[in-house]
Amino acid sequence: MAQVPGMETSAISVLKRAVELDQSSRFQESLVCYQEGIQLLMDVLKAVKDDSKKVHYRQKIKGYMDRAEQIKVHVNQLKEEGKYHEQIRIAEDATGYSYEVLFRPYVTEGLTEVWVEDPYIRHIHQLYNFLRFCEMLLKASCKVKRIHLLTSQDEGDNSSQQASALSELKQSLQSQDVCLDLQYSTFHDREIRFDNGWIIKIGRGLDYFKKPKGRFSIGYCDYDLRQCQETTVDIFHTKHTKTL
């Protein structure tokens, strides 16, 4: 019973976020939070002994489940009609937008192939960004087998650094049974496509984080604590995923 207050606090926090995202029409994100919050409330329900409290939690759970089901139907209808569009605005100096947070609602279990178009995977911090993105995919519940990267080739002093880093990453991913398909092009588009139909376009590509103040400053390792540059994220869904 001692755990119940903490579990309830966690559930309330997640469900509050779900409602906020719901009200902002960020439906796919809100759906993930509703599902997490409902599971937490169900854990609370199992732990309480008082019958009146059980009735209270059951009513709460039913309400949230009904809303989650409505969102699921709405999202599926938009996806079927090819009209799904969601926009996230990341404010200057905002935190809490790591790749795990931003991409989590769209990295589903059936995801196996990813296309990344980003002209700026060249400098050392941009290469680390791409590495962290790949790590995020490996840690997720999906089974990614192939990652395609289309970027521009650095022709300056850093060209050997770019080639060496991407070659090392390719070998490292291979040891995880993931193939990295690398291509170079002169282009300016930035978008990420998943073979489950989700398309994420970030104004700044993967490079939307600010440079940390130092190697021992907060946010250097944990991207959730890293300040962001102002940018816009547009999310779409299509039944036909473009190949490179």
Side-chain angles (χ1 to χ4, degrees), residues 111-119 121 130 133-134 137 144-152 166 169-170 173 178-185 187 189-196 206 241-244:
L111 179 63
T112 61
E113 198 164 2
V114 175
W115 291 262
V116 178
E117 297 184 9
D118 191 327
I121 308 293
F130 183 63
F133 175 79
C134 292
L137 291 173
V144 169
K145 293 299 179 187
R146 185 176 292 270
I147 300 171
H148 304 267
L149 173 62
L150 179 64
T151 190
S152 58
L166 291 173
L169 177 54
K170 183 182 178 77
L173 283 168
V178 178
C179 176
L180 174 61
D181 173 42
L182 176 62
Q183 294 185 41
Y184 294 106
S185 178
F187 70 107
D189 289 341
R190 296 177 178 89
E191 69 178 34
I192 294 168
R193 288 176 175 258
F194 297 151
D195 68 352
N196 58 11
L206 290 175
T241 305
K242 182 180 73 174
T243 57
L244 300 181

Side-chain angles (χ1 to χ4, degrees), residues 45 50-51 63-64 80 88 93 98 132 143 151 232 242:
L45 177 61
D50 186 284
D51 287 341
Y64 288 124
E80 282 293 320
I88 301 169
D93 294 329
S98 66
R132 285 179 181 262
K143 298 293 182 184
T151 190
T232 302
K242 182 180 73 174

Side-chain angles (χ1 to χ4, degrees), residues 10 19 45-46 61 69 78 87 103 105 122 125 139 144-146 159 178 180 210-212 226 232 237 241:
S10 297
V19 172
L45 177 61
K46 291 175 187 175
I61 289 168
E69 188 58 33
L78 290 175
Q87 187 174 85
F103 293 103
R122 303 191 318 211
H125 73 282
K139 287 166 61 180
V144 169
K145 293 299 179 187
R146 185 176 292 270
S159 58
V178 178
L180 174 61
K210 286 196 166 183
K211 183 179 179 180
R226 178 84 67 91
T232 302
H237 189 275
T241 305

Side-chain angles (χ1 to χ4, degrees), residues 3 45 52 76 88 164 171 179 188 192 215:
Q3 291 181 324
L45 177 61
S52 62
N76 286 338
I88 301 169
S164 174
Q171 290 180 16
C179 176
H188 298 286
I192 294 168
R215 287 186 296 172

Side-chain angles (χ1 to χ4, degrees), residues 95 132 209-227:
T95 57
R132 285 179 181 262
F209 296 102
K210 286 196 166 183
K211 183 179 179 180
K213 294 180 173 61
R215 287 186 296 172
F216 291 93
S217 60
I218 297 299
Y220 184 84
C221 295
D222 190 337
Y223 274 28
D224 272 323
L225 300 173
R226 178 84 67 91
Q227 289 183 314

Side-chain angles (χ1 to χ4, degrees), residues 48-71:
V48 297
K49 304 299 181 185
D50 186 284
D51 287 341
S52 62
K53 287 186 177 181
K54 282 183 179 290
V55 171
H56 168 75
Y57 286 123
R58 285 195 186 101
Q59 289 175 339
K60 286 286 186 183
I61 289 168
K62 184 182 183 305
Y64 288 124
M65 287 181 76
D66 288 347
R67 180 54 188 159
E69 188 58 33
Q70 289 172 358
I71 291 174

